[in-house]
Structure formats: structure tokens, C-alpha cells
Amino acid sequence: MTAYSSHSLIKSNGPAAGRLQGVNHLQLIVDDMDTSVRFYRDILGLRLVRTRTKDNYPVQKRGFNMLKNYFFDMGNGGLLSLLQIEAASGSAEDSEPAVTGVWLWPGERVARHPRKMDHLAFDVDSHEDMVWFREHLITNGVEVTKIITREDEHFVESIYFYDPNGIPLEIATFDRAHPRWQDHDPEMWFWDTDPVPALRSE
């Protein structure tokens, strides 16, 4: 067996080196949003920054419905996304849904039976970085979506693709230098008109 010095290892390579700026968000699938809010907010101390529901972000595709999607600030710019879903027939017990969010990823690959995490979203600084990565992925034969922008609420824009193992990945940016942030009101991120009991005055 050959022993390698760490100095001889190629630790960074290719034109994408250094462009990813950490994790934009992690997404977890939860069974009960109210219980999850009480854990992540009250026990772990994370701050709620965004709520959406099936009423203002309807998703009914490939065997599931999205019920609620809440985001928490993990610090240093990273977000934790909690997603509650049900089977498309209306009952979570009817069948085990596919990994959520597959309507966003390209092609017909459907990852099933999520294991601890739904997907990983890397962060980049700007829209220009997003354009670069999309072209870079296409050049390297990776099927990738168009750039998806949430202009209605000044949220992240994203591209979606799979790694060679079929693991769903995302590259996202808040693009904070964009002029739209000058009139951003954080209250516009709270779309859920029927929030879970944990978020109501008690």
C-alpha cells in the first residue's frame, strides 16, 4: 500500500473550485409540523423566518401533496426547511410518498424512501454565479433545471439536479446585492394563514 502525504493530494480541482459558499439550506421531512416547531424553535432555539402552505404554493405531483413548509434561521445565513406532506389521495397513511420536491428536479428519476434528509442546497453569492453553475453542469453532461426564481417574495433562486447516485441537489442564492432587497419586508415571508398551534398566541 502506498502512503500518501496530504501535501500530494489534489484537494481542489476544476473551474468550479471555490465558487460554492457553504450550505444555503437543509430540508427535512417531518410528520407533524406543530411538534417540529416546538422542538426546533423552543428547544434548539432557531428563529422562524418563512411559512408556506399548499394554499399558496400548490404541489400535487408524483404521489404526494405538500401541506406545510416552514423555514428557520440556523445562523450564518443557513436555513433549515421543514416539510410536511401527505399521500396524493389525501391520507399520509395510504402510501409512502416519494421524496418530496421531485417536481423541481429534471427528468423522471424519483428517489424514494428518504433517509434522514430530503436534499442539500449549496449556496452561491449571486445570480451570475447561478448562471455560471448551470452552464458548467450542462457542459459536463448533468441534466439541470432552468433557474427558478421566487420573485413574489424575494426568496432564493435555484437550480436542481442529481448527483451520480441519484441524490437530489440544489444550488441556491439570495443574491443580496440585487435591488429587490432594498424594499424587502421579512413579514412577506409568512404566507400560512392557518399556522400550527405552536405559532399562535398562547
Side-chain angles (χ1 to χ4, degrees):
M1 176 180 290
T2 302
Y4 290 94
S5 165
S6 63
H7 298 292
S8 66
L9 301 177
I10 301 174
K11 298 175 183 175
S12 186
N13 189 40
R19 289 180 176 266
L20 295 180
Q21 298 298 307
V23 174
N24 185 281
H25 64 272
L26 301 176
Q27 181 159 290
L28 303 178
I29 301 170
V30 300
D31 295 323
D32 182 272
M33 188 63 76
D34 187 59
T35 300
S36 300
V37 166
R38 296 178 191 276
F39 177 79
Y40 286 99
R41 183 196 61 188
D42 301 347
I43 297 178
L44 295 188
L46 303 186
R47 182 173 63 89
L48 181 76
V49 296
R50 181 181 189 246
T51 64
R52 293 205 86 163
T53 73
K54 63 181 180 180
D55 296 324
N56 48 64
Y57 192 40
V59 173
Q60 296 182 1
K61 194 170 183 181
R62 298 189 187 177
F64 71 91
N65 299 328
M66 186 271 280
L67 297 179
K68 292 182 182 291
N69 184 200
Y70 289 5
F71 282 77
F72 291 82
D73 184 355
M74 295 192 295
N76 299 317
L79 299 180
L80 175 67
S81 167
L82 302 182
L83 195 60
Q84 184 178 357
I85 60 175
E86 67 178 1
S89 59
S91 170
E93 287 75 30
D94 287 345
S95 64
E96 182 177 1
V99 172
T100 58
V102 291
W103 73 94
L104 293 169
W105 275 266
E108 295 300 320
R109 299 175 70 174
V110 178
R112 293 190 173 272
H113 310 296
R115 295 181 180 178
K116 297 185 180 180
M117 187 175 71
D118 182 63
H119 73 272
L120 170 63
F122 293 104
D123 191 55
V124 293
D125 286 336
S126 68
H127 172 80
E128 289 72 24
D129 291 318
M130 184 76 63
V131 172
W132 186 92
F133 260 108
R134 185 173 186 275
E135 294 175 352
H136 177 65
L137 290 167
I138 292 172
T139 298
N140 284 274
V142 178
E143 187 177 12
V144 60
T145 65
K146 66 180 182 179
I147 296 175
I148 298 174
T149 303
R150 285 83 175 179
E151 291 288 356
D152 59 339
E153 54 175 337
H154 300 35
F155 201 57
V156 297
E157 60 178 23
S158 311
I159 54 175
Y160 300 88
F161 55 101
Y162 292 97
D163 85 344
N165 306 289
I167 296 172
L169 297 176
E170 174 183 351
I171 294 178
T173 183
F174 285 101
D175 196 17
R176 297 286 188 181
H178 193 284
R180 67 173 175 260
W181 289 99
Q182 294 178 2
D183 62 352
H184 172 63
D185 179 1
E187 291 300 312
M188 73 190 307
W189 280 357
F190 297 98
W191 291 65
D192 189 354
T193 58
D194 185 25
V196 296
L199 296 183
R200 301 171 188 165
S201 299
E202 297 180 347

